[in-house]
Amino acid sequence: MGLTAGLTEAQWSQINQATSALNAQQLTWLSGYLAGLAQTGQPAVAMPQATATPSQSLTILYGSQTGNAKAVAEEYKAKLDEAGLPAKLYNMADYKAKQLKSESHVVMVVSTHGEGDAPDDAVEFHSFVGGKKAPKLPDLQYSVIGLGDSSYEFFCQTAKDFDEGLAKLGASRMLDRVDCDVDYDADVQAWAEKLTAKLKDSLSTGTQTSVATAVSAAVSGGTKYTKKAPFTATLLESQKITGRDSVKDIRHIEISLEDSGIQYRPGDALGVWFTNDTQLVDELLGLLSIAGDSQVKWSGDDYEIKTLLTDKLELTQSYPTFAKAYAEFANNADLNALLEDKAALREFLSVRQIVDIVRQYPAKVTAQQFVDSLRSITPRLYSIASSQDEVEDEVHLTVALVEFEAHGEQHQGGASSFLSTRLNEGGEVKVFVEHNDNFRLPEDGNTPVIMIGPGTGIAPFRAFMQQREADESEGKNWLFFGNPNYTQDFLYQTEWQRFVKEGVVDKVTLAFSRDQEQKIYVQHRMLEQGAELYQWLEDGAHLYVCGDATRMAKDVQDALVQIVVQHGGKTEEQAEQYINDLRRAKRYQKDVY
Amino acid sequence: MTTDNKNFVVEGKLADNERLKTESNFLRGTIAENLTDDLTGAFVGDNFQLIRFHGMYQQDDRDIRAERAKQKLEPLQNVMLRARLPGGIISTDQWLAIDKFAEEKSIYGSIRLTTRQTFQFHGVLKPNVKPMHQMLNSIGMDSIATAGDVNRNVLCTSNPVESELHQEAYEWAKKISEHLLPKTRAYAEVWLDEEKAESTEEPILGPTYLPRKFKTTVTIPPQNDVDVHANDLNFVAIAENGKLIGFNVLVGGGLAMTHGDTSTYPRKADDFGFIGLEHTLAVAEAVITTQRDWGNRVNRKNAKTKYTLERVGTDNFKAEVEKRSGAKFAPSKPYEFTSRGDRIGWVEGIDGKHHLTLFIENGRILDYPGKTLKTGCAEIAKIHPGDMRMTANQNLIIAGVPAELKGKIEAIAREHGLISDDVSPQRKDSMACVSLPTCPLAMAEAERYLPDAVTQIEGFLAKHGLPEESIIYRVTGCPNGCGRAMLAEVGLVGKGPGKYNFHLGGNREGTRIPRMYKENIGEQEIMAELDSLIGRWAKERNESEAFGDFLIRAEVIKPVVNSAKDFHDDSFVPA
């Protein structure tokens, strides 16, 4: 080692002798003293190796549900490395909460889901920071960046909680918290630059943090294709897999990844870039009386507005930033009033696309002004429904066509309608893989698996079972599935029949909500089968939930607590602990959206 | 000649259905377990066959089978239920209950009257199957043995005019049905949650039941609405002074055959002779047990009573029946069949009550746009004090209407399109089985094709100056013959999509089997032939000569005389 080369054996021996009797605090003080000596140019012995000190540590903690926050954290760590500021990187689930009081600099990247919920891997740490056991942190400097979706009421709530929680404990902000919306790239970049500069000031480069191995150093996928540089894939098949009388239009999508070298694992998601429906764009431009060939500037380039709206800008979801910018042109009292009431605005936006707002509140706006009020399209993530051991260079998705009538008009979701109706077989689609280590089959093939996946939540479980079949795993598998009608909506019915026949799947429990007067959902079936389900958990089963986050995942969680109370003879508190333990042991994983 | 049973038992490897019955534990199989398996909407394995003994067929919507395969969905599995309704009589309360069930719990929402003088529910999904049987049970009905290798629903001529004679005949139909019913408790256990029986005996049918399906009628001449020659066992009612005194017993009719297998053929029933009423059940039982013991259990295609008679000889079979029943057949009493159709419209019975026969095209009672047949029947059932009767021609009789309600009931019937003055004689004399999309055996359209086909034939009759004439015209989707095309003047037997074997030369009374005139031809070709033949008939017919009789006389086709020998004889068909 370069740093130790300057020391003779005798010097080493002396140092060891001198320090052997010192306690940790004395050692810490001494390290600072020695560093000071070094900086003032006084002759002194150099440190053999920089060690972590409370006053000089840098740790990045992330809590991520879909992988976005994790990716931001990893990218930031790489940037810090480049800047000569090596940091430790931890998933919040793997971080020892008590360690926090020994830290000097902490960066948190955390997303928020559903009704202000923390991602699964952040749940425990989140409650620790906000709870009674949290220590005072007068010496801690921190920065929090949140990822979220501003169309939700509790936008970036988890980030806010951490930010405020740490402040209450006496820690000090290096930067104001940044709450990122769905298109977060620019915000993240700006935050990263500012924070790096601050850290450079605050952390002396001479006292590097210890080179502790980052826990989550897995290289993501070994592919060069990313969100920003996606692979142009080919649509092989788009097949409706709900019956002709179904109330839902759900598609099985097969995409070729041929020659991309892309590798994914069951549990991963596929990011899909899409373009908007040109009819929708025409309608919008018509309403605004803007010519389709109007020239606009966007992100430094020149575009015809029609092309820009079709290819680059978000039209099928609406968001507060648009409402705010557009309101200035609309000059409508109702719309202005909405901006003042966050809950009402969210309600308003949730049932409208951009075109609905424009139709409802006509405005005189130039092509450039309109474009500037919109944000860029963000790719949609779909849980992958296949295993490469089964489908090789294909990737399969299960996509529900979002389709609804509102305000007297027919509406469709952007990506789902692109995949289901606008993209022809053989057509091109830009994709990338989002790895999700928070949704993985147990490493041991003998471990039993319980899968709860109503609706399109069934997708990753099709991948799981393809994998387990390919691996010839011996572990038992139990699927809970639900949808409106048995005859119309039993997704992949013939495949599940085969899985059962071949002995891959041991049990399939079904809940079809509309086949009887009383609505029956998966959580009701779980409760009915509670004794057996609890036994599976006791036998070490891993439990997975995929699908709707707002209601299903909560109902399933409540059902789990009830089951553990009833069949495990526990109090509600103990049951919650039991489930938390499952989560911590990565035996309870969620992929909800 | 010996009647040693053993000589008449066909040796060889038993058909798989025999294994299935043997292993079924008296028809229980694993139906109960299968009911709770919701991974599939079907009854699988042996249960696919076994539920037939409980009156159900596993079916699916064949129109969308390929579409659903692509959707990774299994076929739209459902069951068809055929109720047991000896003589076709149903109370108005029962009617309202089945009307409600069809509406709420079946895919097709219809009550389908069938040639077996009962009704079928089509498209019942598995979760509704048990509630369906419980509903039937709650109104005093069941569907035991309306399908499978057993004696099926017993028909009885619909003759509301001679009300006393009909009542007596109808009572016998019920008694015969009950007497020959399986004794196993399987139905009650599986569907009605009744306690498991400790042991089961089947003294009449035996543990492996019959070699093949078995059909029985009670017939009141001169009506042959039940088509005696389509049935294994017929009790032809003989009356003196309006009072039933006994039956001529006709054995061994049947219409089913297999395409391309000349060892199969439609066959008329043989007349065994007359018996007094006191021997009725014993003779019924003896015919059944003789067929049970002698019927071919090796080859199901030759298992029906008609083939047993051909193989062992009618005399031997008859002697065995006499031996087993203790009855002696006297020479047949004279009787005559004059027609098979129903008398559509009002008739007055000798009891002074009124009876309204409603023509139901294809027997399909459903609310069509502008023709709310099903609602109409239910509205009538709500106010009608008598009963309702299904006929073997798939029509419905509102029986026993007091004079003061005639007007009201007729008004309801007209309002809902149940009475329509412009239904032609041709339409009334036309019939089709259910076929596509639900019947798994169907090879070509029947029910869905019939209305248009009849319209075309009506056109030919009008064109050739015979608008008031009719031809017994029947279409059956496969050679099993539910549509009884093999007793029609013009019979079409489904061969493939849009293709039929075209038979000619039956008679109006249903006592002559039509011969195949052209094989596997399309609808257009059939219609062109009919147009031309009807044209000849119009010009060349004798006074009142029926179409089928004319074709024989004009040597367009040679009559089938002894079907076992001459049905498949090509030399009988003109080049």
Side-chain angles (χ1 to χ4, degrees):
Chain A
M1 298 277 288
L3 276 171
T4 56
L7 293 178
T8 64
E9 221 167 290
Q11 284 172 319
W12 260 119
S13 169
Q14 284 176 312
I15 291 168
N16 283 336
Q17 217 176 348
T19 55
S20 62
L22 301 179
N23 66 25
Q25 260 182 321
Q26 291 168 320
L27 277 170
T28 300
W29 178 88
L30 185 62
S31 70
Y33 167 78
L34 293 172
L37 278 182
Q39 277 193 329
T40 53
Q42 298 291 322
V45 287
M47 299 259 304
Q49 183 174 355
T51 47
T53 67
S55 56
Q56 301 293 314
S57 72
L58 177 54
T59 300
I60 305 172
L61 300 174
Y62 68 87
S64 184
Q65 192 73 41
T66 62
N68 284 334
K70 182 184 169 197
V72 167
E74 284 172 349
E75 276 176 43
Y76 189 54
K77 177 183 158 40
K79 277 188 185 159
L80 289 177
D81 282 341
E82 278 174 37
L85 294 167
K88 290 173 278 182
L89 177 70
Y90 291 102
N91 182 323
M92 287 177 181
D94 301 324
Y95 183 73
K96 286 198 185 71
K98 284 180 186 160
Q99 180 75 20
L100 197 56
K101 63 176 185 291
S102 327
E103 304 280 5
S104 71
H105 295 78
V106 165
V107 176
M108 291 188 182
V109 187
V110 67
S111 58
T112 298
H113 300 270
E115 306 297 314
D117 299 334
D120 284 342
D121 52 11
V123 167
E124 273 192 89
F125 187 61
H126 177 254
S127 52
F128 171 82
V129 170
K132 287 177 192 156
K133 288 182 186 167
K136 291 287 170 220
L137 301 167
D139 299 325
L140 179 68
Q141 298 197 60
Y142 72 94
S143 170
V144 175
I145 183 164
L147 301 188
D149 180 339
S150 64
S151 65
Y152 284 85
E153 190 176 352
F154 298 101
F155 175 51
C156 286
Q157 187 60 46
T158 310
K160 283 177 195 161
D161 293 345
F162 276 120
D163 186 38
E164 286 159 18
L166 291 174
K168 266 191 197 160
L169 296 171
S172 48
R173 289 185 188 93
M174 288 182 276
L175 285 179
D176 281 346
R177 184 186 73 248
V178 174
D179 294 339
C180 299
D181 206 347
V182 181
D183 55 344
Y184 52 78
D185 289 341
D187 288 343
V188 167
Q189 207 179 326
W191 163 83
E193 279 167 18
K194 270 194 241 172
L195 184 60
T196 308
K198 285 260 178 194
L199 286 169
K200 269 186 180 157
D201 290 347
S202 178
L203 284 164
S204 155
T205 47
T207 56
Q208 293 186 348
T209 54
S210 72
V211 197
T213 324
V215 174
S216 205
V219 184
S220 48
T223 167
K224 54 187 188 287
Y225 299 105
T226 62
K227 180 174 171 183
K228 283 174 205 156
F231 173 68
T232 302
T234 313
L235 181 75
L236 294 173
E237 191 186 324
S238 166
Q239 169 65 50
K240 184 169 182 279
I241 54 166
T242 44
R244 52 164 59 187
D245 295 325
S246 176
V247 295
K248 290 184 169 185
D249 183 339
I250 296 174
R251 304 290 171 118
H252 173 69
I253 303 279
E254 296 186 0
I255 290 169
S256 171
L257 301 175
E258 205 174 338
D259 300 330
S260 70
I262 290 178
Q263 296 288 314
Y264 61 84
R265 291 169 63 195
D268 287 342
L270 191 75
V272 176
W273 287 96
F274 64 98
T275 57
N276 287 310
D277 188 350
T278 51
Q279 281 185 355
L280 177 68
V281 172
D282 288 342
E283 192 191 351
L284 194 52
L285 290 172
L287 286 169
L288 292 163
S289 304
I290 294 175
D293 58 1
S294 307
Q295 292 292 312
V296 288
K297 276 208 183 305
W298 185 77
S299 218
D301 291 316
D302 294 321
Y303 290 90
E304 273 193 0
I305 187 170
K306 185 171 173 180
T307 312
L308 183 66
L309 291 180
T310 306
D311 295 349
K312 302 281 186 188
L313 297 179
E314 181 61 67
L315 301 180
T316 50
Q317 290 179 350
S318 43
Y319 28 92
T321 51
F322 172 77
K324 216 171 153 190
Y326 183 76
E328 297 199 10
F329 309 110
N331 199 19
N332 178 291
D334 292 347
L335 184 55
N336 291 339
L338 267 176
L339 295 177
E340 302 304 315
D341 181 345
K342 199 154 189 196
L345 181 63
R346 182 182 171 235
E347 173 92 347
F348 174 85
L349 294 173
S350 68
V351 294
R352 281 171 180 79
Q353 297 184 339
I354 298 297
V355 68
D356 298 313
I357 301 173
V358 169
R359 197 184 296 112
Q360 190 170 352
Y361 300 110
K364 202 155 172 49
V365 57
T366 67
Q368 187 62 52
Q369 286 168 336
F370 185 66
V371 163
D372 290 342
S373 67
L374 294 166
R375 76 180 187 204
S376 50
I377 279 185
T378 48
R380 307 291 196 258
L381 293 178
Y382 292 99
S383 307
I384 290 174
S386 54
S387 156
Q388 281 188 297
D389 283 347
E390 171 69 22
V391 305
E392 299 179 347
D393 58 6
E394 293 176 11
V395 59
H396 298 179
L397 306 177
T398 313
V399 176
L401 174 61
V402 177
E403 220 175 1
F404 57 98
E405 215 197 274
H407 325 294
E409 303 283 333
Q410 199 58 37
H411 295 69
Q412 288 189 328
S416 66
S417 66
F418 171 74
L419 284 172
S420 304
T421 61
R422 290 198 296 286
L423 189 62
N424 293 319
E425 283 173 16
E428 291 184 346
V429 51
K430 292 190 169 65
V431 300
F432 58 95
V433 169
E434 278 280 347
H435 295 279
N436 182 3
D437 287 333
N438 293 327
F439 207 77
R440 290 283 186 239
L441 275 168
E443 274 173 33
D444 184 350
N446 294 314
T447 305
V449 160
I450 301 170
M451 300 166 282
I452 299 162
T456 52
I458 202 166
F461 302 131
R462 180 176 183 265
F464 275 18
M465 291 306 98
Q466 287 184 350
Q467 191 63 52
R468 284 206 136 185
E469 184 174 41
D471 295 345
E472 296 178 14
S473 300
E474 298 283 328
K476 293 195 293 176
N477 299 298
W478 184 357
L479 174 76
F480 284 88
F481 174 72
N483 234 353
N485 295 109
Y486 178 81
T487 60
Q488 306 298 316
D489 308 315
F490 188 168
L491 304 183
Y492 303 107
Q493 180 183 24
T494 52
E495 295 190 7
W496 292 107
Q497 287 177 339
R498 193 192 64 80
F499 279 136
V500 169
K501 200 173 159 200
E502 304 286 329
V504 179
V505 172
D506 300 84
K507 212 170 144 90
V508 174
T509 301
L510 300 165
F512 288 95
S513 58
R514 299 197 194 175
D515 280 346
Q516 59 284 309
E517 272 176 36
Q518 278 212 300
K519 296 238 167 109
I520 295 175
Y521 296 108
V522 281
Q523 65 268 20
H524 300 124
R525 294 293 189 220
M526 289 169 65
L527 290 170
E528 281 171 20
Q529 312 249 351
E532 192 175 351
L533 199 150
Y534 182 71
Q535 192 52 52
W536 278 54
L537 291 176
E538 286 290 286
D539 294 344
H542 286 210
L543 189 143
Y544 301 85
V545 183
C546 182
D548 170 61
T550 45
R551 292 178 57 185
M552 186 276 293
K554 277 195 174 58
D555 293 338
V556 163
Q557 165 101 8
D558 292 345
L560 273 178
V561 173
Q562 272 194 60
I563 287 166
V564 176
V565 167
Q566 192 182 341
H567 302 284
K570 297 188 192 321
T571 65
E572 198 152 311
E573 203 169 301
Q574 289 168 329
E576 271 162 16
Q577 188 55 48
Y578 182 94
I579 288 158
N580 271 337
D581 291 346
L582 287 180
R583 191 181 354 240
R584 192 178 310 116
K586 293 197 174 266
R587 286 178 50 204
Y588 174 30
Q589 302 187 8
K590 290 195 276 186
D591 174 9
V592 296
Y593 37 83
Chain B
M1 188 158 291
T2 174
T3 57
D4 178 359
N5 295 4
K6 290 210 170 69
N7 291 350
F8 296 128
V9 175
V10 178
E11 302 289 342
K13 185 175 180 299
L14 295 179
D16 187 54
N17 284 57
E18 296 303 321
R19 171 202 61 77
L20 181 151
K21 286 180 274 185
T22 308
E23 293 173 2
S24 76
N25 184 22
F26 296 94
L27 309 181
R28 289 173 181 86
T30 54
I31 297 172
E33 290 86 331
N34 211 166
L35 257 186
T36 57
D37 170 15
D38 55 6
L39 198 58
T40 173
F43 290 90
V44 296
D46 287 354
N47 301 327
F48 176 85
Q49 298 271 353
L50 285 175
I51 60 168
R52 296 185 179 179
F53 292 82
H54 300 245
M56 294 176 291
Y57 287 80
Q58 181 73 53
Q59 305 192 331
D60 73 280
D61 187 337
R62 294 176 56 184
D63 286 348
I64 58 172
R65 207 182 263 179
E67 170 184 315
R68 287 179 64 88
K70 279 192 190 162
Q71 290 164 341
K72 304 180 191 287
L73 295 166
E74 71 175 8
L76 186 53
Q77 304 283 8
N78 62 74
V79 304
M80 177 270 271
L81 173 123
R82 184 184 290 152
R84 187 171 69 90
L85 202 62
I89 298 184
I90 184 169
S91 75
T92 51
D93 285 347
Q94 289 172 329
W95 183 273
L96 290 170
I98 66 165
D99 175 82
K100 184 169 187 285
F101 183 87
E103 181 79 31
E104 294 172 358
K105 307 282 181 180
S106 78
I107 296 174
Y108 298 94
S110 66
I111 297 170
R112 176 60 155 87
L113 309 184
T114 79
T115 55
R116 284 316 289 174
Q117 207 179 11
T118 180
F119 67 89
Q120 292 176 177
F121 291 130
H122 287 264
V124 179
L125 300 175
K126 200 154 82 174
N128 291 328
V129 168
K130 200 164 174 176
M132 169 172 66
H133 289 290
Q134 297 185 344
M135 178 280 294
L136 288 176
N137 184 58
S138 75
I139 57 172
M141 293 176 70
D142 61 61
S143 63
I144 300 171
T146 55
D149 299 341
V150 281
N151 179 54
R152 299 185 174 187
N153 192 45
V154 178
L155 307 192
C156 177
T157 296
S158 302
N159 182 344
V161 178
E162 291 173 87
S163 30
E164 276 175 44
L165 181 59
H166 176 266
Q167 187 61 33
E168 283 183 279
Y170 168 65
E171 294 299 335
W172 279 112
K174 277 207 292 192
K175 274 186 228 167
I176 294 164
S177 174
E178 297 293 335
H179 190 69
L180 300 180
L181 219 51
K183 303 293 183 276
T184 174
R185 300 283 299 154
Y187 184 90
E189 289 172 18
V190 174
W191 309 112
L192 309 177
D193 294 328
E194 290 184 11
E195 257 179 65
K196 293 212 166 27
E198 283 173 17
S199 67
T200 303
E201 278 183 31
E202 289 284 14
I204 297 177
L205 298 170
T208 55
Y209 299 86
L210 301 182
R212 201 71 173 80
K213 63 183 165 186
F214 192 94
K215 299 178 178 179
T216 302
T217 78
V218 177
T219 316
I220 310 171
Q223 284 289 102
N224 185 23
D225 55 348
V226 297
D227 260 330
V228 291
H229 295 299
N231 290 276
D232 297 82
L233 173 59
N234 303 276
F235 292 91
V236 177
I238 302 300
E240 269 179 18
N241 306 320
K243 206 78 186 123
L244 186 65
I245 58 161
F247 297 104
N248 286 348
V249 179
L250 273 60
V251 179
L255 305 182
M257 52 186 167
T258 306
H259 283 316
D261 183 345
T262 54
S263 78
T264 67
Y265 44 85
R267 183 188 188 277
K268 287 167 59 182
D270 293 327
D271 192 340
F272 276 18
F274 175 81
I275 55 159
L277 293 177
E278 70 277 17
H279 296 300
T280 307
L281 293 183
V283 165
E285 183 176 328
V287 172
I288 284 269
T289 60
T290 303
Q291 162 63 4
R292 176 196 71 197
D293 296 340
W294 292 0
N296 187 338
R297 290 180 187 262
V298 172
N299 179 1
R300 280 180 72 76
K301 290 188 170 118
N302 291 130
K304 288 204 70 190
T305 316
K306 59 182 176 179
Y307 303 114
T308 312
L309 286 181
E310 289 292 335
R311 180 167 47 80
V312 309
T314 300
D315 289 344
N316 284 332
F317 197 108
K318 178 175 158 183
E320 182 71 13
V321 171
E322 288 183 325
K323 191 174 118 191
R324 293 188 183 204
S325 67
K328 270 266 176 254
F329 287 103
S332 275
K333 303 271 184 191
Y335 68 95
E336 192 187 12
F337 288 139
T338 57
S339 81
R340 283 184 290 172
D342 297 329
R343 282 166 282 194
I344 305 299
W346 289 103
V347 291
E348 188 177 347
I350 52 177
D351 59 355
K353 293 240 174 94
H354 299 269
H355 312 282
L356 174 63
T357 303
L358 302 170
F359 170 72
I360 310 288
E361 186 161 42
N362 282 325
R364 182 74 71 175
I365 297 180
L366 179 65
D367 283 351
Y368 300 95
K371 246 180 125 182
T372 45
L373 306 184
K374 185 160 161 296
T375 302
C377 290
E379 289 303 314
I380 290 171
K382 283 179 194 163
I383 62 161
H384 172 50
D387 56 43
M388 297 163 85
R389 302 180 184 182
M390 302 171 191
T391 79
N393 289 311
Q394 312 186 148
N395 294 319
L396 185 65
I397 302 173
I398 312 299
V401 179
E404 64 273 18
L405 271 177
K406 267 186 76 178
K408 195 163 182 187
I409 284 178
E410 177 160 344
I412 296 173
R414 284 186 180 279
E415 184 191 336
H416 293 280
L418 287 160
I419 296 178
S420 169
D421 296 327
D422 55 6
V423 177
S424 70
Q426 179 57 53
R427 204 163 291 273
K428 290 172 190 166
D429 280 336
S430 301
M431 189 157 84
C433 71
V434 173
S435 197
L436 293 167
T438 51
C439 179
L441 303 172
M443 300 177 177
E445 295 286 347
E447 178 178 325
R448 297 194 294 198
Y449 168 56
L450 189 78
D452 287 345
V454 170
T455 303
Q456 287 191 61
I457 297 171
E458 285 170 349
F460 303 147
L461 290 168
K463 181 170 109 184
H464 298 296
L466 302 171
E468 293 308 313
E469 290 293 341
S470 70
I471 297 166
I472 306 279
Y473 171 72
R474 294 176 177 178
V475 185
T476 199
C478 82
N480 284 293
C482 295
R484 301 206 294 258
M486 286 304 95
L487 288 170
E489 292 181 277
V490 174
L492 270 57
V493 184
K495 191 82 195 275
K499 293 286 177 68
Y500 300 87
N501 286 350
F502 181 36
H503 288 250
L504 295 173
N507 61 7
R508 293 193 72 82
E509 299 76 30
T511 55
R512 190 170 60 226
I513 291 167
R515 177 180 302 285
M516 185 160 73
Y517 180 65
K518 288 201 169 161
E519 189 174 6
N520 199 30
I521 63 169
E523 295 158 8
Q524 284 191 327
E525 196 178 344
I526 291 168
M527 286 301 159
E529 290 280 0
L530 281 176
D531 186 8
S532 133
L533 290 170
I534 290 170
R536 277 187 66 188
W537 178 42
K539 285 200 199 88
E540 302 170 27
R541 70 189 293 216
N542 292 333
E543 174 92 25
S544 316
E545 190 177 26
F547 185 64
D549 294 339
F550 164 75
L551 295 179
I552 301 291
R553 185 178 59 78
E555 296 184 356
V556 171
I557 190 115
K558 287 194 180 173
V560 170
V561 179
N562 177 353
S563 62
K565 298 199 163 52
D566 66 21
F567 183 75
H568 291 290
D569 191 338
D570 290 345
S571 66
F572 280 62
V573 183

